[in-house]
Amino acid sequence: MQISKGQEINTTIQSNPINKNNLHTKDKKSTLSVNTIEDYRKKNKDENIDIKYVITLDADTNLSLDSGIELIEAMAHPLNKPVIDEERNVVVDGFGIIQPRVGIDLETSMQSLFTEIFAGDGGVDSYTNAISDIYQDNFGEGIYTGKGIYDLKTFCKVMKDKIPENTVLSHDLLEGCLLRCGLSSDIMLLDGYPTGYSSYITRLSRWIRGDWQIISYLKAKYLNKLSKYKIIDNLRRSLIEIFSVINLIFLSTLKVFLGTKVCALVVITLLSASISSIIDIINHIVFRKENIKTQKKFTKRIDGLRASIYRGLISIGTLPNKAYVSICSIIKTIYRMKVSKEHLLEWTTAEEAEKSHKKDLKSMYINMVPNVILGALGIALIEILSLNILSQVFILIISLGWIFMPFIMWYISRDIEEKKQIDKLSNDEKEYVKNIAESTWGYFSEYMNKENNFLPPDNYQESRKEKVVSRTSSTNIGLGILTIISAYDLKFITLEKTISSLENTMETIEKLDKWNGHLYNWYNTKTLKPLMPRYISTVDSGNFVRIYVHIKKFLTRKNAYTVQR
């Protein structure tokens, strides 16, 4: 298995034959970004390298824990083994490629207001963010976006001579159609996301160019109807903003010269740009559950319905600029394909796009000139036409929105200034958190007593009959130690009391029976005997060890060794 940046290895494989070592390289020089093959060949000169699978990633994509192994396991499953139609030379059963679910990196999702609105919740959360895919669910295959795993021999057999060299920028969709891509939504990778509008629009332009470069494959006999629909759907998506603006201009012309009533059609045209937000609002109203309280969060985020509404408003506000970028990308692609035959693979990486774009307000207005032009024309239209007051107000709001949208996009594209978490809380929230902390410390302070050998009981029963269970785990012990340190940090106890409490608990830990130095998972707090059946938990032991590291840092910071002695 070799891990590589998808763009580099795929463009190499599609145009070069298989050599005796299954290395698809040009002039015997590997283009893998992580060159483990050459190192292996130097150490094992007489041994051929048999590569079964290739995992492809973008430069800003990260494999989450065990996701690489899980991808291999999914590909190796007998039911997923690719079956090739020899006549058409495409995969017709099983999967030659498996695409994992792709989430957004947690840090990136909070880098700017733009990413908070458009990237959604970042990080790994397989429970609340579980998704379904219309293609996988209804047709048994998904869409390949360049991140995943493929069977190398199948890839080379199917893709041989399919894509001429230096002609296709976004070959992922074609590869997924020919190799039959499967979506594994329980395996997740973390990807980056444009942190500002300028880099976002640059990526959109590249995607549109790539989609239009494969328009000729609609004539390919080896592609089935579903594959051709996927290509057409991408082309349709790139035309939405263009035809929305054309329709607005057409309706305005009808109003100016013929006096036709077009208000309803104008509203429908604008709302079509934010149809996904409208659907979210309808779903929220129709499927809203009664007596469900909104969960209180200490990290203020723009998410859920509010983020969807913002996305809808921004989609309407950036309509002129997106239409301009889309039409330019399409014309540029057709010209290069039919006339110049050059620069078909021209593109900017996400990292370079972030670095190269100027983020000042002037540059944003220069980049979004179409917005200002159409906004000015809208205001002029109010003067030309005899409209009722409601129509005038509506046009004025839309026009001013287009004119001021560059300022809004500049504002939300700025990096969020880092603040201490405590500084983000209001005084009431700080008091609320402190009360919770005192209440939590009260539990540990009361029950980590001599009767329980200074170990924290697992739980306390308040209802029916007051009862404290006489058992604890290694995680509970670690958390008990952490509460002692936290109580000192919050000035609930003195340093001397902190050291004394830590000593009592640590002495008890020394007395506990262990397996090769590891704590068992459950102990009786009164007898200190391990509970049956005795076993070791890697999760609880990991929690316990991490807290020990924290103890060491605390004692070192407070020079508590001296106090202890």
Side-chain angles (χ1 to χ4, degrees):
M1 179 189 71
Q2 298 298 324
I3 298 176
S4 163
K5 294 180 184 177
Q7 181 70 20
E8 295 176 332
I9 192 168
N10 285 345
T11 52
T12 303
I13 289 175
Q14 68 190 27
S15 58
N16 293 286
I18 304 176
N19 65 17
K20 65 179 182 180
N21 286 329
N22 286 338
L23 301 180
H24 304 266
T25 57
K26 193 171 184 179
D27 300 327
K28 297 182 180 180
K29 292 183 179 179
S30 173
T31 58
L32 296 172
S33 62
V34 180
N35 193 358
T36 56
I37 293 179
E38 292 298 331
D39 294 338
Y40 186 89
R41 293 179 69 179
K42 288 177 182 178
K43 296 178 182 178
N44 305 272
K45 295 181 179 180
D46 299 328
E47 185 179 347
N48 289 343
I49 306 173
D50 185 19
I51 302 174
K52 178 66 175 175
Y53 303 118
V54 174
I55 295 178
T56 64
L57 304 173
D58 289 337
D60 57 348
T61 307
N62 297 313
L63 284 169
S64 54
L65 184 64
D66 292 335
S67 57
I69 295 174
E70 290 171 351
L71 283 170
I72 296 170
E73 291 172 345
M75 280 296 295
H77 195 285
L79 294 178
N80 293 334
K81 184 179 180 180
V83 178
I84 299 176
D85 181 339
E86 297 297 338
E87 183 178 345
R88 292 165 53 213
N89 194 29
V90 296
V91 176
V92 293
D93 195 17
F95 304 107
I97 296 177
I98 287 184
Q99 163 93 35
R101 183 158 63 96
V102 181
I104 304 300
D105 178 73
L106 181 61
E107 185 177 351
T108 301
S109 68
M110 299 187 291
Q111 192 165 340
S112 65
L113 290 175
F114 182 86
T115 55
E116 283 196 20
I117 294 170
F118 283 90
D121 292 330
V124 179
D125 186 353
S126 301
Y127 299 101
T128 60
N129 291 325
I131 59 170
S132 117
D133 180 79
I134 186 170
Y135 289 109
Q136 184 69 48
D137 293 347
N138 294 286
F139 303 104
E141 62 177 272
I143 291 184
Y144 184 47
T145 60
K147 307 167 186 68
I149 184 171
Y150 58 78
D151 185 295
L152 185 57
K153 290 181 180 178
T154 303
F155 185 97
C156 295
K157 178 177 173 59
V158 172
M159 295 304 299
K160 185 179 180 181
D161 300 327
K162 287 291 198 310
I163 304 176
E165 192 170 359
N166 297 324
T167 59
V168 175
L169 178 61
S170 298
H171 45 79
D172 307 330
L173 180 58
L174 286 177
E175 292 164 355
C177 293
L178 293 168
L179 289 156
R180 199 164 186 269
C181 174
L183 174 67
S184 180
S185 59
D186 58 338
I187 304 173
M188 188 172 185
L189 304 183
L190 295 177
D191 201 9
Y193 196 87
T195 59
Y197 178 74
S198 296
S199 53
Y200 168 83
I201 214 71
T202 298
R203 186 184 69 167
L204 177 64
S205 174
R206 174 169 60 85
W207 283 356
I208 293 173
R209 286 171 48 217
D211 291 335
W212 280 83
Q213 283 177 350
I214 61 175
I215 191 172
S216 60
Y217 286 87
L218 290 172
K219 300 177 182 179
K221 295 182 179 180
Y222 47 77
L223 288 181
N224 58 27
K225 292 181 180 179
L226 178 63
S227 299
K228 292 179 181 180
Y229 174 79
K230 292 176 183 177
I231 296 174
I232 293 172
D233 190 46
N234 281 0
L235 299 179
R236 174 200 61 80
R237 194 180 298 114
S238 68
L239 295 170
I240 291 176
E241 287 82 10
I242 296 173
F243 279 99
S244 294
V245 172
I246 290 174
N247 195 39
L248 289 174
I249 295 173
F250 175 70
L251 292 173
S252 300
T253 304
L254 289 179
K255 182 65 177 177
V256 171
F257 293 102
L258 301 177
T260 309
K261 293 182 179 181
V262 297
C263 269
L265 294 175
V266 169
V267 172
I268 292 172
T269 301
L270 291 172
L271 291 180
S272 66
S274 59
I275 189 65
S276 60
S277 299
I278 295 172
I279 293 173
D280 285 341
I281 294 171
I282 294 173
N283 284 337
H284 180 76
I285 295 172
V286 173
F287 299 106
R288 184 175 183 178
K289 295 181 180 180
E290 298 294 334
N291 301 322
I292 300 296
K293 294 182 179 180
T294 304
Q295 185 177 7
K296 190 171 183 178
K297 298 180 180 179
F298 293 111
T299 303
K300 296 179 180 179
R301 296 291 307 276
I302 302 174
D303 53 12
L305 183 64
R306 185 159 66 113
S308 181
I309 293 172
Y310 287 166
R311 286 194 296 269
L313 294 174
I314 290 172
S315 295
I316 296 173
T318 56
L319 190 61
N321 186 60
K322 281 186 177 180
Y324 173 77
V325 171
S326 298
I327 193 67
C328 286
S329 302
I330 294 170
I331 293 173
K332 184 186 294 184
T333 302
I334 295 174
Y335 173 79
R336 290 177 177 179
M337 289 172 61
K338 300 297 182 181
V339 182
S340 71
K341 310 290 184 180
E342 296 178 344
H343 306 298
L344 290 171
L345 299 187
E346 180 186 59
W347 70 296
T348 305
T349 63
E351 184 179 5
E352 288 299 321
E354 293 288 351
K355 291 180 180 179
S356 60
H357 284 296
K358 296 179 180 179
K359 296 185 177 182
D360 59 288
L361 182 58
K362 180 181 177 181
S363 299
M364 188 65 75
Y365 263 96
I366 291 173
N367 293 334
M368 297 184 69
V369 165
N371 258 59
V372 179
I373 294 174
L374 257 69
L377 289 175
I379 293 175
L381 202 63
I382 299 175
E383 298 295 326
I384 296 173
L385 300 176
S386 299
L387 302 170
N388 58 52
I389 188 65
L390 187 62
S391 298
Q392 289 182 2
V393 171
F394 176 76
I395 295 174
L396 182 63
I397 291 173
I398 297 297
S399 300
L400 291 177
W402 283 345
I403 291 173
F404 285 102
M405 189 52 64
F407 172 81
I408 295 172
M409 300 316 293
W410 164 78
Y411 181 81
I412 68 174
S413 297
R414 300 181 306 164
D415 289 346
I416 297 175
E417 294 182 4
E418 288 293 330
K419 294 182 179 179
K420 291 182 178 180
Q421 293 297 321
I422 190 66
D423 294 334
K424 297 179 182 180
L425 302 180
S426 65
N427 290 333
D428 290 340
E429 288 173 332
K430 289 177 183 178
E431 188 64 28
Y432 174 67
V433 172
K434 187 176 180 181
N435 290 337
I436 290 178
E438 282 188 297
S439 177
T440 304
W441 166 240
Y443 171 82
F444 286 93
S445 175
E446 181 177 353
Y447 293 109
M448 287 181 69
N449 51 30
K450 189 173 182 180
E451 182 182 354
N452 286 306
N453 288 290
F454 305 103
L455 299 178
D458 183 71
N459 62 77
Y460 165 74
Q461 178 180 294
E462 287 185 336
S463 60
R464 296 182 181 179
K465 182 180 179 181
E466 292 188 7
K467 183 179 179 181
V468 179
V469 296
S470 300
R471 65 172 181 270
T472 193
S473 68
S474 48
T475 293
N476 292 338
I477 296 171
L479 288 175
I481 294 172
L482 201 58
T483 58
I484 295 171
I485 296 173
S486 300
Y488 169 76
D489 290 338
L490 294 170
K491 297 181 174 55
F492 297 157
I493 57 176
T494 63
L495 181 59
E496 288 73 14
K497 174 63 176 177
T498 303
I499 300 304
S500 173
S501 299
L502 289 175
E503 280 183 337
N504 290 332
T505 302
M506 301 285 278
E507 287 174 0
T508 300
I509 294 172
E510 290 294 322
K511 300 174 185 177
L512 297 174
D513 292 340
K514 303 177 185 68
W515 181 84
N516 290 337
H518 292 274
L519 291 177
Y520 289 103
N521 204 59
W522 291 102
Y523 292 92
N524 186 300
T525 58
K526 299 183 184 300
T527 65
L528 301 184
K529 297 296 182 182
L531 299 182
M532 301 299 289
R534 297 190 298 181
Y535 64 93
I536 307 297
S537 168
T538 55
V539 174
D540 288 83
S541 295
N543 293 337
F544 183 73
V545 170
R546 182 65 188 90
I547 290 170
Y548 252 47
V549 174
H550 187 75
I551 296 171
K552 181 180 179 180
K553 289 184 177 180
F554 170 77
L555 294 175
T556 303
R557 176 165 51 92
K558 293 299 178 182
N559 197 22
Y561 294 114
T562 305
V563 178
Q564 182 180 358
R565 290 177 174 83

